[in-house]
Amino acid sequence: MYGTVPAYRELKAGDEGADVKQLEQNLKALGYTGFTVDKEFTASTASAVKQWQEDLGLKETGRVEFGRIVFAAGEVRVDSVDATAAAPAQPGGTVLKYTGTVRVVVVQLDVTDQRLAKEGATVQVALPGAGDVAGKVTQAYTVIEAGEGQGEAETKIEAIVSLADQKAAGAFDQAAVDVTFTAAERPDVLTVPVAALVALREGGYGVEVVENGVSRYVAVETGLFSGGRVEVSGGGLSEGMTVGIPR
């Protein structure tokens, strides 16, 4: 059933509280009538519970015993079922495990990359066979991974990424994806292929500029590297110039 207050007790006539109202809201949504949706478990509520129990093939007690229902905040997806048919249910035993219905991506990062996993940060998620889809970091937290054997435990950063387009995930239940984080941005800069950089004899880097069949080397200062390209600046450089790539 839907509700934000956990089912923490048996519900019966005379009880009051938010969990009683949640139960009544759900009974009404299921089509049962004859009671008022409020915080009071009345005889009318008990009658509706008996109808519900009859429809489920349960003993008609008019009481909802502890453990009979689970309140979830919204729709859920059954992830696994641990119980088996005809097997006795044990107190405290797990019947099933469930998750939300919205697909998300879980990314694990080294602690040194923690700055990338800021809540609200935008990312690009490459889905298998479905191209790229925009995503956003909705949650980031620290996890401790136990070491194997005598190995030391490792500290990692885990980030939850929501997808802007749920349909892009198709029917994926689980899949390996690539997530691209943006560490920094530089607007309106000149870039060249990383392979175009050459080490200058006097130190630093330069690029070979080719103009009218004549080449010359220009010293450059490098900036950000991304996608096989590097930000460059220096005198004598302008957009549209042809640069050579050493072989």
Side-chain angles (χ1 to χ4, degrees), residues 141-226:
Y141 47 86
T142 303
V143 295
I144 308 297
E145 287 192 339
E148 296 183 4
Q150 300 299 319
E152 295 183 358
E154 286 188 277
T155 302
K156 297 286 187 178
I157 302 299
E158 208 161 79
I160 306 299
V161 175
S162 64
L163 300 177
D165 182 6
Q166 284 287 309
K167 293 182 179 179
F172 286 128
D173 182 29
Q174 292 184 344
V177 301
D178 291 324
V179 180
T180 301
F181 290 82
T182 301
E185 291 182 308
R186 295 281 195 276
D188 302 321
V189 299
L190 297 175
T191 67
V192 297
V194 174
L197 291 178
V198 295
L200 300 178
R201 181 180 303 174
E202 59 272 25
Y205 292 97
V207 294
E208 180 186 12
V209 176
V210 181
E211 293 178 308
N212 300 320
V214 179
S215 66
R216 58 188 174 89
Y217 287 92
V218 177
V220 298
E221 294 288 335
T222 59
L224 292 180
F225 289 76
S226 178

Side-chain angles (χ1 to χ4, degrees), residues 66-90:
F66 178 58
R68 172 61 63 187
I69 59 176
V70 173
F71 287 117
E75 293 182 347
V76 299
R77 165 187 167 275
V78 176
D79 182 55
S80 63
V81 178
D82 298 325
T84 56
Q90 301 298 327

Side-chain angles (χ1 to χ4, degrees), residues 21 29 57 79 110 138 149 162 168 206 212-213 223 239:
K21 185 174 183 179
D79 182 55
D110 291 331
T138 58
S162 64
N212 300 320
E239 182 180 357

